Amino acid sequence: MKTMMKNTVTNYLTKTSNNQVQSIAEMKKHVATVSLCEEAMNEIKKIYWHEKELLIVVPILMKSATTFELVESLTVLSDYTKEHVKLLESKFPEINQMPSAKKTYNAVTYKNIV
């Protein structure tokens, strides 16, 4: 009896049903890939917006720096950050839109720093 049931089940799985199973699996892979791409883009946007905030904060820190070495280091950081922001803007034109994240981003102001 058991062998007969197995034969019935294997006969039931036709090429059509195998194709349907494959298409469902491919659709799930596609959905997973799309969600991973969106998640990666949101992370890149977060990096971009944090670096934009650095471009605001670093000049304020340079004004209140007390040693030449600190000013020099902050200047190098500012230059590097400007180059990275330009690179991100050129590679990802849609990056200027705020990321869709769970956290809220507060603007950095002089009062927040001091």
Side-chain angles (χ1 to χ4, degrees), residues 47-87:
I47 291 169
Y48 172 78
W49 285 100
H50 286 295
E51 288 191 354
K52 292 281 278 187
E53 288 181 355
L54 269 177
L55 290 177
I56 296 169
V57 172
V58 170
I60 296 170
L61 293 175
M62 286 192 321
K63 287 180 184 176
S64 58
T66 56
T67 63
F68 175 75
E69 291 84 10
L70 182 58
V71 172
E72 188 175 347
S73 297
L74 289 171
T75 304
V76 170
L77 174 67
S78 179
D79 293 341
Y80 177 75
T81 305
K82 284 177 188 175
E83 289 177 19
H84 195 245
V85 166
K86 286 180 185 176
L87 178 70

Side-chain angles (χ1 to χ4, degrees), residues 5-14:
M5 291 178 128
K6 285 185 180 178
N7 288 338
T8 307
V9 171
T10 55
N11 288 339
Y12 179 72
L13 291 175
T14 61

Side-chain angles (χ1 to χ4, degrees), residues 2-46:
K2 289 184 181 180
T3 56
M4 217 171 168
M5 291 178 128
K6 285 185 180 178
N7 288 338
T8 307
V9 171
T10 55
N11 288 339
Y12 179 72
L13 291 175
T14 61
K15 287 184 178 181
T16 306
S17 62
N18 285 336
N19 289 340
Q20 289 173 345
V21 170
Q22 286 178 346
S23 67
I24 290 171
E26 288 175 6
M27 187 172 25
K28 285 183 180 180
K29 285 180 185 178
H30 177 71
V31 169
T33 304
V34 168
S35 67
L36 282 175
C37 288
E38 288 175 359
E39 195 172 319
M41 192 58 177
N42 280 336
E43 291 301 317
I44 291 172
K45 286 179 181 182
K46 287 179 192 177

